[in-house]
Amino acid sequence: TLCVVTLGQEIQTRWPQANSLADFVALRFGRRAKACVISLSMFNMTIGLLAELTTIGALFKDFLGAEAFPIILIVATLSSTYTVYGGLVVSIVTDRLQAILSIILIATVAVWLACTFRVSLPPDFGGGSMAKQLGSSNPAGWSSLLVMPLSLTASTLFSEAVWQRVWAAESPSSLRFGAAVGASSTVAMVLLFGLAGFISAWGGLVDIEHD
């Protein structure tokens, strides 16, 4: 996101007539490059959309026992309807609502876990099979240090949803402030929950067969 903000401000200064990433690529590199960027962006957004809808269906199925496909169909229909009707403005409003609800949910779950979660540590804490898999000899773990940042950076750079925030920002200062808040919040949440999950897996509290 920070990369998109930095590049987006530079693009706005040099090519003020561009209104999207594809427009900039067309002005700078031509129509063939624009077609390639549009194809990549569509593929990127399709993968993200399928992942989100699949996750929503799985949540309702696992926690509420509902069928996944009807829930996916309802969510897809509702989100498509209000996006087509309201455009980018509605999308930004719903993003804000999702952020507020996510903060409330995370705070509630964190407080609940802190008050109720009491599990005795196993005698071999830190010496289970998962700890061996997470050791220094795990090539998949080391490769993820390169693959994950590259894949997420490439996905963000070709996400039109992120780029539209650059052109829709009220001012450069508000754009930088929003990007800084979003990036720092994401790092904090991933560090908090990711580190907790990593320690749990390393300590043997995660059952590989069921978790």
Side-chain angles (χ1 to χ4, degrees), residues 99-117 189 192-193:
I100 294 172
L101 293 176
S102 297
I103 292 173
I104 295 174
L105 177 62
I106 291 172
T108 303
V109 172
V111 172
W112 180 79
L113 286 176
C115 296
T116 62
F117 186 74
M189 290 299 100
L192 175 62
F193 291 100

Side-chain angles (χ1 to χ4, degrees), residues 20-159:
S20 67
L21 176 62
D23 287 346
F24 155 69
V25 172
L27 293 171
R28 180 66 177 83
F29 301 104
R31 293 185 177 181
R32 291 184 179 180
K34 177 182 179 179
C36 292
V37 169
I38 291 177
S39 299
L40 287 172
S41 298
M42 292 295 293
F43 176 77
N44 182 36
M45 287 189 288
T46 301
I47 295 298
L49 179 61
L50 292 176
E52 292 180 3
L53 292 176
T54 303
T55 302
I56 292 173
L59 288 174
F60 275 85
K61 181 179 180 180
D62 294 340
F63 291 96
L64 299 179
E67 291 293 331
F69 181 74
I71 299 299
I72 292 175
L73 187 61
I74 292 173
V75 172
T77 302
L78 290 176
S79 58
S80 300
T81 301
Y82 72 69
T83 302
V84 171
Y85 178 78
L88 182 62
V89 175
V90 174
S91 179
I92 293 176
V93 171
T94 55
D95 283 349
R96 290 179 177 177
L97 292 176
Q98 290 175 14
I100 294 172
L101 293 176
S102 297
I103 292 173
I104 295 174
L105 177 62
I106 291 172
T108 303
V109 172
V111 172
W112 180 79
L113 286 176
C115 296
T116 62
F117 186 74
R118 298 291 184 272
V119 176
S120 300
L121 297 180
D124 61 341
F125 183 79
S129 59
M130 182 68 79
K132 297 178 182 178
Q133 296 181 20
L134 296 173
S136 59
S137 60
N138 184 357
W142 287 107
S143 64
S144 66
L145 294 176
L146 176 64
V147 174
M148 289 295 290
L150 288 179
S151 62
L152 292 175
T153 301
S155 175
T156 303
L157 287 176
F158 285 100
S159 175

